[in-house]
Amino acid sequence: QVQLVESGGDLVQTGGSLRLSCAASGFTFDTWDISWFRQAPGKEREGVAFISKADGVKFYAESVKGRFLISREEEKNTVYLQMNSLKPEDTAVYYCAAAVAPTAHGLRPSEFKVWGQGTQVTVSA
């Protein structure tokens, strides 16, 4: 069945780095756009980073621009989120999601139909 599985979340100190992975199965990976979202306790889910199929166009939320890097490896059906210079405000459950031709630079959760279960990222002060 169609599935996305995130991994790589952990507890890290301020200024540290993590790399999240999103492994896809059950669908033709290279025909879908992929985004990372996050949701902190008591807050709405927000878009973090987007990468398109084929040409790999990328967009980032302003809050992570210059610190996070999204990439995809077609041979492994996997999308990565490299997170550097982490801050306590980056603490959240991170989700990857798949969509076909989303708008809003791929950062609007309502346009995504396939979601992973999430992975917890905690940044200590």
Side-chain angles (χ1 to χ4, degrees), residues 89-108:
E89 51 264 43
D90 294 319
T91 295
V93 177
Y94 283 71
Y95 302 88
C96 63
V100 177
T103 62
H105 302 312
L107 299 180
R108 184 178 295 155

mmCIF file of all heavy atoms in Angstrom, residues 89-108:
data_model
loop_
_atom_site.group_PDB
_atom_site.id
_atom_site.type_symbol
_atom_site.label_atom_id
_atom_site.label_comp_id
_atom_site.label_asym_id
_atom_site.label_seq_id
_atom_site.Cartn_x
_atom_site.Cartn_y
_atom_site.Cartn_z
ATOM 1 N N GLU A 89 13.072 26.268 19.143
ATOM 2 C CA GLU A 89 11.800 26.459 18.445
ATOM 3 C C GLU A 89 11.609 25.510 17.260
ATOM 4 O O GLU A 89 10.537 25.472 16.661
ATOM 5 C CB GLU A 89 11.638 27.911 17.976
ATOM 6 C CG GLU A 89 12.816 28.470 17.203
ATOM 7 C CD GLU A 89 13.765 29.261 18.097
ATOM 8 O OE1 GLU A 89 14.073 28.810 19.217
ATOM 9 O OE2 GLU A 89 14.214 30.343 17.627
ATOM 10 N N ASP A 90 12.638 24.740 16.936
ATOM 11 C CA ASP A 90 12.492 23.698 15.910
ATOM 12 C C ASP A 90 11.898 22.414 16.487
ATOM 13 O O ASP A 90 11.592 21.475 15.737
ATOM 14 C CB ASP A 90 13.846 23.371 15.275
ATOM 15 C CG ASP A 90 14.421 24.526 14.476
ATOM 16 O OD1 ASP A 90 13.653 25.192 13.759
ATOM 17 O OD2 ASP A 90 15.648 24.772 14.588
ATOM 18 N N THR A 91 11.731 22.367 17.791
ATOM 19 C CA THR A 91 11.159 21.185 18.442
ATOM 20 C C THR A 91 9.737 20.943 17.952
ATOM 21 O O THR A 91 8.889 21.831 18.010
ATOM 22 C CB THR A 91 11.160 21.362 19.963
ATOM 23 O OG1 THR A 91 12.517 21.420 20.424
ATOM 24 C CG2 THR A 91 10.445 20.206 20.648
ATOM 25 N N ALA A 92 9.489 19.733 17.443
ATOM 26 C CA ALA A 92 8.179 19.395 16.883
ATOM 27 C C ALA A 92 8.211 17.947 16.410
ATOM 28 O O ALA A 92 9.277 17.325 16.349
ATOM 29 C CB ALA A 92 7.847 20.306 15.699
ATOM 30 N N VAL A 93 7.034 17.444 16.062
ATOM 31 C CA VAL A 93 6.953 16.199 15.305
ATOM 32 C C VAL A 93 7.050 16.577 13.828
ATOM 33 O O VAL A 93 6.322 17.459 13.362
ATOM 34 C CB VAL A 93 5.651 15.441 15.582
ATOM 35 C CG1 VAL A 93 5.577 14.184 14.719
ATOM 36 C CG2 VAL A 93 5.543 15.088 17.059
ATOM 37 N N TYR A 94 7.961 15.934 13.134
ATOM 38 C CA TYR A 94 8.178 16.216 11.716
ATOM 39 C C TYR A 94 7.538 15.120 10.869
ATOM 40 O O TYR A 94 7.724 13.925 11.126
ATOM 41 C CB TYR A 94 9.679 16.311 11.429
ATOM 42 C CG TYR A 94 10.274 17.625 11.875
ATOM 43 C CD1 TYR A 94 10.427 17.910 13.236
ATOM 44 C CD2 TYR A 94 10.660 18.597 10.965
ATOM 45 C CE1 TYR A 94 10.947 19.131 13.663
ATOM 46 C CE2 TYR A 94 11.188 19.815 11.371
ATOM 47 C CZ TYR A 94 11.327 20.070 12.718
ATOM 48 O OH TYR A 94 11.842 21.277 13.132
ATOM 49 N N TYR A 95 6.805 15.546 9.849
ATOM 50 C CA TYR A 95 6.116 14.644 8.950
ATOM 51 C C TYR A 95 6.563 14.888 7.513
ATOM 52 O O TYR A 95 6.785 16.038 7.122
ATOM 53 C CB TYR A 95 4.604 14.886 8.994
ATOM 54 C CG TYR A 95 3.957 14.739 10.339
ATOM 55 C CD1 TYR A 95 3.880 15.812 11.229
ATOM 56 C CD2 TYR A 95 3.392 13.527 10.725
ATOM 57 C CE1 TYR A 95 3.267 15.677 12.461
ATOM 58 C CE2 TYR A 95 2.773 13.385 11.964
ATOM 59 C CZ TYR A 95 2.716 14.455 12.815
ATOM 60 O OH TYR A 95 2.112 14.325 14.046
ATOM 61 N N CYS A 96 6.641 13.823 6.733
ATOM 62 C CA CYS A 96 6.767 14.014 5.294
ATOM 63 C C CYS A 96 5.423 13.670 4.663
ATOM 64 O O CYS A 96 4.631 12.912 5.225
ATOM 65 C CB CYS A 96 7.887 13.184 4.697
ATOM 66 S SG CYS A 96 7.711 11.401 4.832
ATOM 67 N N ALA A 97 5.179 14.262 3.510
ATOM 68 C CA ALA A 97 3.907 14.075 2.831
ATOM 69 C C ALA A 97 4.120 14.188 1.324
ATOM 70 O O ALA A 97 5.048 14.860 0.866
ATOM 71 C CB ALA A 97 2.892 15.110 3.295
ATOM 72 N N ALA A 98 3.227 13.541 0.589
ATOM 73 C CA ALA A 98 3.330 13.505 -0.871
ATOM 74 C C ALA A 98 2.091 14.102 -1.507
ATOM 75 O O ALA A 98 0.972 13.933 -0.997
ATOM 76 C CB ALA A 98 3.515 12.067 -1.347
ATOM 77 N N ALA A 99 2.294 14.793 -2.614
ATOM 78 C CA ALA A 99 1.188 15.413 -3.345
ATOM 79 C C ALA A 99 1.526 15.462 -4.823
ATOM 80 O O ALA A 99 2.691 15.364 -5.212
ATOM 81 C CB ALA A 99 0.918 16.816 -2.829
ATOM 82 N N VAL A 100 0.486 15.666 -5.610
ATOM 83 C CA VAL A 100 0.661 15.859 -7.050
ATOM 84 C C VAL A 100 0.361 17.314 -7.360
ATOM 85 O O VAL A 100 -0.737 17.786 -7.139
ATOM 86 C CB VAL A 100 -0.279 14.943 -7.857
ATOM 87 C CG1 VAL A 100 -0.128 15.212 -9.343
ATOM 88 C CG2 VAL A 100 0.009 13.479 -7.553
ATOM 89 N N ALA A 101 1.360 18.039 -7.832
ATOM 90 C CA ALA A 101 1.207 19.433 -8.249
ATOM 91 C C ALA A 101 0.586 20.338 -7.191
ATOM 92 O O ALA A 101 -0.417 20.992 -7.443
ATOM 93 C CB ALA A 101 0.412 19.514 -9.544
ATOM 94 N N PRO A 102 1.154 20.405 -5.986
ATOM 95 C CA PRO A 102 0.608 21.325 -4.988
ATOM 96 C C PRO A 102 0.910 22.773 -5.336
ATOM 97 O O PRO A 102 1.820 23.071 -6.105
ATOM 98 C CB PRO A 102 1.343 20.919 -3.712
ATOM 99 C CG PRO A 102 2.655 20.414 -4.204
ATOM 100 C CD PRO A 102 2.354 19.718 -5.513
ATOM 101 N N THR A 103 0.131 23.682 -4.790
ATOM 102 C CA THR A 103 0.379 25.102 -4.953
ATOM 103 C C THR A 103 1.034 25.641 -3.690
ATOM 104 O O THR A 103 1.483 24.858 -2.856
ATOM 105 C CB THR A 103 -0.939 25.840 -5.255
ATOM 106 O OG1 THR A 103 -1.824 25.673 -4.146
ATOM 107 C CG2 THR A 103 -1.599 25.290 -6.505
ATOM 108 N N ALA A 104 1.079 26.947 -3.540
ATOM 109 C CA ALA A 104 1.615 27.584 -2.322
ATOM 110 C C ALA A 104 3.012 27.096 -2.002
ATOM 111 O O ALA A 104 3.351 26.872 -0.833
ATOM 112 C CB ALA A 104 0.658 27.378 -1.143
ATOM 113 N N HIS A 105 3.821 26.884 -3.039
ATOM 114 C CA HIS A 105 5.204 26.423 -2.863
ATOM 115 C C HIS A 105 5.282 25.106 -2.101
ATOM 116 O O HIS A 105 6.310 24.808 -1.489
ATOM 117 C CB HIS A 105 6.042 27.478 -2.157
ATOM 118 C CG HIS A 105 6.086 28.786 -2.861
ATOM 119 N ND1 HIS A 105 6.350 28.912 -4.208
ATOM 120 C CD2 HIS A 105 5.870 30.043 -2.412
ATOM 121 C CE1 HIS A 105 6.311 30.173 -4.558
ATOM 122 N NE2 HIS A 105 6.014 30.895 -3.484
ATOM 123 N N GLY A 106 4.202 24.335 -2.146
ATOM 124 C CA GLY A 106 4.220 23.027 -1.514
ATOM 125 C C GLY A 106 4.262 23.049 -0.009
ATOM 126 O O GLY A 106 4.690 22.081 0.615
ATOM 127 N N LEU A 107 3.813 24.145 0.607
ATOM 128 C CA LEU A 107 3.880 24.256 2.065
ATOM 129 C C LEU A 107 2.509 24.321 2.728
ATOM 130 O O LEU A 107 2.404 24.676 3.900
ATOM 131 C CB LEU A 107 4.713 25.496 2.442
ATOM 132 C CG LEU A 107 6.167 25.485 1.960
ATOM 133 C CD1 LEU A 107 6.885 26.755 2.398
ATOM 134 C CD2 LEU A 107 6.902 24.248 2.453
ATOM 135 N N ARG A 108 1.459 23.978 1.987
ATOM 136 C CA ARG A 108 0.105 23.999 2.523
ATOM 137 C C ARG A 108 -0.347 22.582 2.819
ATOM 138 O O ARG A 108 -0.595 21.786 1.910
ATOM 139 C CB ARG A 108 -0.849 24.665 1.532
ATOM 140 C CG ARG A 108 -2.272 24.825 2.034
ATOM 141 C CD ARG A 108 -3.116 25.526 0.994
ATOM 142 N NE ARG A 108 -2.665 26.891 0.768
ATOM 143 C CZ ARG A 108 -2.891 27.557 -0.375
ATOM 144 N NH1 ARG A 108 -3.531 26.980 -1.365
ATOM 145 N NH2 ARG A 108 -2.466 28.788 -0.498
#
